Amino acid sequence: MTGNPKLIDKLFSALPPKESRALSTVVSLADDSDVRVFLVGGPVRDLLLGLAPTDLDVSVEGDAIAFATRLAEATDGRLVRHATFGTATVSAGWRIDLATARTETYSRPGVLPKVQPSTIDADLLRRDFTINALALALNGPAPGKLLDPTRGKDDLDAGLVRVIHDRSFQDDATRILRAARYETRFGFRLEEATQDLVHRDLPYLVTITGVRLRHDIERTFEEGRADQAVSRLRGLGVLSTVHSGLDWTPAQAKALRVLKPPLPAGSRPVAWAILAWETPSAQIEPLVKRLALTKAQAEAVRSVPFLRDLRARLNNDLRPSEVDRLLSSFPLNAVLALSVIEDTPASRWARLYLKLRSIHPLLRGDDLQSLRVPRGPAVGEMLALLRAAKLDGEAKTRADEERLVREYLAQNSE
């Protein structure tokens, strides 16, 4: 066997210094332990595409957890073990995921697989797509050797997403969502037979738990072209299969695009509200339950029907303080969704409201008491009145606010 030192050099030069040093330690430990290690899957795919690997996934022919323990000791890294699957993660300002080379068997569609230690060759054949069934030998007799048993490099060159075997989507139907992400991320297309399998196996999405489906849809939101990825899910029939109330219109796609994906975790409730924007009111709660939405996500989605109904009231005749009162009862994520979903008076008011939230009176509680506003609820009421006046442009200075307080006290003392 012969390796390809240039591919190894390309890998290390593409990595940030911390990751490069950590991976060098992996190789040194493997050599000392007479263990073969391989970079596998996505990072190899990205390297061949000329992209910098964003993850470091290492397959170990042997006990990956024991190897990861030694790596954590050598680097003072944090070790997290996952004994069921023979995997571990080591991190210390960098992160490396290590897995025992293995085979997988599925007892029934949609369940997590049972794993058994095996060789790197068998490990590659258990994977989802040919473009991920790639490994780069990091040590051993042929460092830099590319292992490609399913001709994944040919599919990379052709821009194709191809499953390795025809039961792939039945074993794990979340692979359908993953295929759509790869299509849009890389500008690829589904290989013809693979697309036929997608249509055949869409019903297997019902075997996937709500939590797993939610996580996969969230990964779609994290894509740089998230709006296109969700559009592809709709085109493939994934959205309507996941839940009959889901749809994806050009307005929704534009709204997600305005949010400028990839979306961080804190923005996901906004994306869920956008995704649920066309969902009929009666199907909102079943959608929340089917996808096991988090509390913040569920609150945003449940607000969608009420915001849709409120749009008629959010017209040009309102004052800013009235808009503030109408929208302040809704989760911020839901209002943000309204602000980008369309270009109407309602969405424009929503955008203004997001700015108004930071506006407060110059006077504070102690100031009001010095002006002889009684302690208790009256202070809160006065602050609310002052804020409304400021929003409406009726109180621009501290003197304006003091005048309004005196007028209020005079009117309520009569």
Side-chain angles (χ1 to χ4, degrees):
M1 291 192 298
T2 59
N4 184 348
K6 289 185 177 179
L7 202 52
I8 290 283
D9 292 342
K10 183 179 180 181
L11 168 65
F12 280 95
S13 64
L15 294 175
K18 289 182 179 179
E19 282 76 1
S20 180
R21 288 193 294 271
L23 194 59
S24 293
T25 303
V26 168
V27 175
S28 296
L29 286 174
D31 287 340
D32 292 343
S33 307
D34 197 24
V35 171
R36 294 179 69 198
V37 290
F38 304 83
L39 190 72
V40 293
V44 182
R45 175 200 67 217
D46 293 349
L47 188 68
L48 293 175
L49 287 172
L51 305 172
T54 55
D55 302 303
L56 288 177
D57 298 322
V58 173
S59 183
V60 180
E61 282 195 330
D63 188 339
I65 293 180
F67 186 86
T69 302
R70 294 195 294 274
L71 177 62
E73 291 171 351
T75 60
D76 292 325
R78 178 174 180 265
L79 173 66
V80 178
R81 304 176 181 87
H82 304 283
T84 302
F85 296 101
T87 65
T89 298
V90 182
S91 57
W94 43 266
R95 171 180 170 137
I96 296 180
D97 294 310
L98 302 106
T100 299
R102 65 186 191 264
T103 58
E104 295 179 343
T105 55
Y106 293 82
S107 60
R108 65 180 188 276
V111 300
L112 295 176
K114 295 181 180 179
V115 303
Q116 287 187 321
S118 188
T119 64
I120 186 63
D121 299 296
D123 185 280
L124 294 178
L125 293 175
R126 71 169 175 85
R127 294 175 180 266
D128 49 7
F129 305 107
T130 61
I131 59 174
N132 289 334
L134 299 162
L136 178 66
L138 297 176
N139 71 336
K145 179 180 175 58
L146 180 67
L147 283 68
D148 183 12
T150 64
R151 300 183 67 177
K153 189 175 184 305
D154 289 346
D155 284 338
L156 281 179
D157 294 339
L160 292 175
V161 179
R162 183 196 309 267
V163 288
I164 294 175
H165 61 87
D166 63 6
R167 287 185 54 86
S168 185
F169 296 133
Q170 295 179 12
D171 288 340
D172 183 358
T174 65
R175 290 170 174 171
I176 297 174
L177 285 82
R178 205 175 311 155
R181 292 199 296 272
Y182 291 151
E183 277 191 306
T184 51
R185 185 189 307 171
F186 301 123
F188 285 8
R189 68 186 188 280
L190 285 175
E191 178 266 336
E192 185 175 349
T194 298
Q195 181 155 309
D196 291 341
L197 292 174
V198 167
H199 293 309
R200 185 195 73 179
D201 294 336
L202 277 175
Y204 284 88
L205 285 167
V206 302
T207 68
I208 306 300
T209 66
V211 171
R212 288 187 66 203
L213 277 175
R214 169 165 56 83
H215 286 164
D216 253 273
I217 293 173
E218 287 170 354
R219 291 187 184 103
T220 305
F221 293 151
E222 294 167 5
E223 290 291 314
R225 298 185 180 94
D227 61 304
Q228 296 178 28
V230 181
S231 295
R232 184 59 170 142
L233 292 180
R234 181 190 186 278
L236 290 171
V238 172
L239 293 185
S240 58
T241 303
V242 167
H243 194 276
S244 60
L246 286 178
D247 200 1
W248 192 247
T249 65
Q252 289 168 286
K254 181 180 179 181
L256 190 58
R257 193 160 57 247
V258 168
L259 291 178
K260 296 181 180 179
L263 296 180
S267 297
R268 290 174 189 161
V270 184
W272 280 108
I274 292 172
L275 181 60
W277 196 260
E278 297 296 328
T279 302
S281 301
Q283 297 190 47
I284 288 290
E285 199 58 34
L287 174 64
V288 168
K289 292 180 179 178
R290 172 64 182 106
L291 294 173
L293 298 185
T294 67
K295 181 179 179 181
Q297 293 164 356
E299 287 176 347
V301 168
R302 287 176 177 135
S303 297
V304 164
F306 299 99
L307 285 172
R308 289 195 307 235
D309 293 342
L310 188 63
R311 285 178 296 183
R313 295 179 61 188
L314 291 170
N315 55 54
N316 291 325
D317 296 331
L318 293 175
R319 306 177 75 178
S321 61
E322 294 175 298
V323 173
D324 181 76
R325 178 178 55 80
L326 288 170
L327 294 179
S328 61
S329 61
F330 293 100
L332 187 60
N333 286 305
V335 178
L336 181 54
L338 172 63
S339 76
V340 296
I341 200 69
E342 54 194 7
D343 189 17
T344 64
S347 61
R348 290 192 289 272
W349 275 124
R351 290 193 289 271
L352 178 61
Y353 167 78
L354 296 171
K355 298 177 181 178
L356 297 179
R357 294 178 66 254
S358 62
I359 296 176
H360 298 283
L362 296 172
L363 298 181
R364 296 290 183 261
D366 291 344
D367 300 318
L368 296 183
Q369 289 180 29
S370 68
L371 290 169
R372 299 188 178 181
V373 175
R375 292 178 180 273
V379 172
E381 293 172 6
M382 191 69 245
L383 287 172
L385 288 171
L386 290 175
R387 183 169 182 271
K390 195 174 185 69
L391 294 178
D392 294 338
E394 297 171 354
K396 298 180 180 179
T397 67
R398 185 182 183 92
D400 290 338
E401 293 183 12
E402 291 174 347
R403 173 180 52 78
L404 288 172
V405 172
R406 286 192 291 269
E407 290 176 356
Y408 173 84
L409 292 174
Q411 292 172 359
N412 285 272
S413 63
E414 296 176 355

